[in-house]
Amino acid sequence: MFSTLKSLDNKKLAKYAVSFTGNPDFQEDVLDWVLDGNSDLYKEVIATPGGTGAVGMSIENCLEAGQTLIIPEIAWGSYSLMAQMHNLKTKSYSLFEGDHFNLDSLKATCKAVMEEQDRLVLIINDPCQNPTGYSMTRKEWEDVIEFLNECSKTHSVVLINDIAYIDFAYEGAKAKEYFRCFDKISDDVAVIVAFSISKSLTSYGLRCGAAILMAKTQEGVDELKVVFEKTARATWSNVNNGAMETFSTIMRTKKDEYLAEKQKYVDLLKARSDLFVKQAEEAGLVHYPYKEGFFVTLAMDNDKCDRLHAALMENQIYTVKVNKGIRIAVCSMPLHVIDGLAARIKAVEDQLD
């Protein structure tokens, strides 16, 4: 990736993009790469500074001050922060019922919010959910879309699908097949897919991403596009041209090389997560359902979370507190560090009781 970036002509690195919505080649390449032929919906692409830009502008544009954004109970903390920045409230749905997605909680939360406002905007971070590493099944996605279609009979509905970690899903291209479920949305449902090139190219500082606007009709997409264009122009003006050119160059001339390199790191990630999950189960260390991705999250209430996190710090085990859990970044640890880590954490946990 970096060799591709450094090989670009200085004029490409220095110039503005063709449009503040992104270069045409970039927009086409995003659709081809992300959706991989798995959708027949009408769609448009707005270039953003990272996946964060895509999520943030979606929240800003789809709700009015004082309204409520629906988010997972266990989630990336910035969702709540973004809502606060735009004078929005949040309401959370329980993420799990046993070892599967808690559809009943999502339904109840949506219905409660629908009693208070004329629109429904919700975030589902999938696949490779941050922080739990859960990925929904095709059936779970079908059930969600069926429910949102019911909601759209009385309310406008926007689903924000944050796919920041999708390119590290263990099934590769197969992980994108769930996008087909979106083709069944009704005319009053829109989907915004928030894509992070910064994650997919493992270059977090090279801020680049995209909001993919999807709807049943071109009119539905155009209504979103007009607002998103103005927001992009007024907020960041122009997304890094060098980053967009790098992505397009890789997609058009070096895709096989990129796929091979990416697979090497996906395999490494799987080896790390397999080891930690296996040893966590052997040690009796309870975690939320994990399928794939960068993180495994230990399950507990917030009081215990505070106490265990402090105790782990004292034992030179550095983790991240999240709502109702402690996040373990298996993505960042070599196998020799992961080996035995679960038992060490369990030993510290047992000292709390």
Side-chain angles (χ1 to χ4, degrees):
M1 195 288 294
F2 293 109
S3 61
T4 302
L5 174 67
K6 293 174 182 178
S7 71
L8 294 176
D9 186 275
N10 285 342
K11 292 180 180 179
K12 288 187 176 181
L13 296 175
K15 66 179 289 190
Y16 274 133
V18 173
S19 166
F20 45 82
T21 60
N23 297 328
D25 286 354
F26 170 80
Q27 294 171 318
E28 181 180 329
D29 294 331
V30 165
L31 289 177
D32 288 346
W33 174 252
V34 174
L35 300 179
D36 198 24
N38 288 302
S39 178
D40 295 323
L41 292 172
Y42 290 90
K43 39 201 170 284
E44 295 282 352
V45 172
I46 305 292
T48 61
T52 302
V55 175
M57 75 182 325
S58 300
I59 292 171
E60 177 184 1
N61 287 324
C62 296
L63 288 167
E64 297 178 357
Q67 292 187 320
T68 298
L69 170 71
I70 297 173
I71 62 175
E73 183 178 46
I74 306 165
W76 183 43
S78 291
Y79 294 151
S80 294
L81 181 59
M82 291 177 191
Q84 293 173 22
M85 291 293 291
H86 297 293
N87 298 311
L88 301 171
K89 297 177 287 187
T90 60
K91 194 171 183 64
S92 301
Y93 59 91
S94 176
L95 193 55
F96 299 114
E97 182 179 31
D99 63 354
H100 59 272
F101 183 77
N102 195 336
L103 181 63
D104 288 341
S105 179
L106 177 66
K107 287 182 176 181
T109 305
C110 289
K111 289 175 181 177
V113 170
M114 289 167 66
E115 292 179 358
E116 302 172 352
Q117 60 193 49
D118 62 352
R119 67 191 70 174
L120 189 63
V121 180
L122 66 153
I123 296 177
I124 295 181
N125 174 202
D126 186 83
C128 307
Q129 202 256 359
N130 176 8
T132 67
Y134 186 75
S135 291
M136 293 166 61
T137 65
R138 180 71 173 263
K139 179 63 165 59
E140 287 172 336
W141 267 114
E142 289 171 351
D143 291 343
V144 167
I145 297 303
E146 181 180 1
F147 170 67
L148 295 182
N149 285 342
E150 285 296 313
C151 296
S152 73
K153 292 178 180 178
T154 57
H155 291 64
S156 62
V157 177
V158 177
L159 166 64
I160 302 170
N161 180 200
D162 181 357
I163 63 164
Y165 296 92
I166 194 169
D167 283 321
F168 297 91
Y170 296 158
E171 293 187 314
K174 188 174 176 60
K176 300 177 179 181
E177 291 179 0
Y178 78 94
F179 289 130
R180 275 289 169 199
C181 299
F182 297 167
D183 284 3
K184 297 181 180 179
I185 60 173
S186 71
D187 288 353
D188 293 314
V189 176
V191 176
I192 302 171
V193 176
F195 174 52
S196 173
I197 290 169
S198 306
K199 294 283 194 309
S200 295
L201 297 185
T202 60
S203 304
Y204 287 27
L206 195 67
R207 304 306 298 158
C208 189
I212 305 176
L213 316 178
M214 307 172 71
K216 204 73 171 180
T217 65
Q218 186 64 53
E219 181 183 7
V221 171
D222 289 343
E223 288 178 1
L224 287 172
K225 184 183 178 184
V226 169
V227 179
F228 275 56
E229 285 177 342
K230 292 180 178 179
T231 300
R233 185 70 180 94
T235 306
W236 51 72
S237 179
N238 210 267
V239 170
N240 187 304
N241 191 65
M244 287 191 284
E245 289 284 356
T246 298
F247 179 74
S248 287
T249 300
I250 289 172
M251 289 297 107
R252 293 174 181 237
T253 66
K254 300 182 178 182
K255 184 184 288 187
D256 289 344
E257 181 182 340
Y258 166 70
L259 286 171
E261 181 177 354
K262 181 171 75 72
Q263 189 59 48
K264 180 176 68 174
Y265 291 109
V266 170
D267 292 342
L268 178 59
L269 177 61
K270 188 175 188 307
R272 291 172 174 178
S273 62
D274 283 351
L275 179 61
F276 182 81
V277 168
K278 176 178 178 291
Q279 293 188 346
E281 291 172 354
E282 292 171 349
L285 194 63
V286 180
H287 60 84
Y288 292 108
Y290 174 88
K291 292 188 178 180
E292 55 192 349
F294 281 29
F295 312 110
V296 179
T297 293
L298 308 182
M300 64 197 71
D301 62 42
N302 285 330
D303 175 66
K304 182 175 180 180
C305 177
D306 290 339
R307 293 185 293 118
L308 179 56
H309 183 263
L312 290 173
M313 292 278 283
E314 292 176 359
N315 285 271
Q316 288 77 52
I317 299 174
Y318 303 103
T319 58
V320 173
K321 290 192 296 182
V322 297
N323 188 39
K324 294 189 174 182
I326 287 181
R327 192 184 79 174
I328 310 296
V330 293
C331 59
S332 65
M333 291 181 286
L335 286 168
H336 74 271
V337 173
I338 291 177
D339 190 15
L341 177 62
R344 290 176 59 203
I345 294 174
K346 181 60 176 173
V348 175
E349 180 185 44
D350 288 344
Q351 293 175 1
L352 297 179
D353 299 329

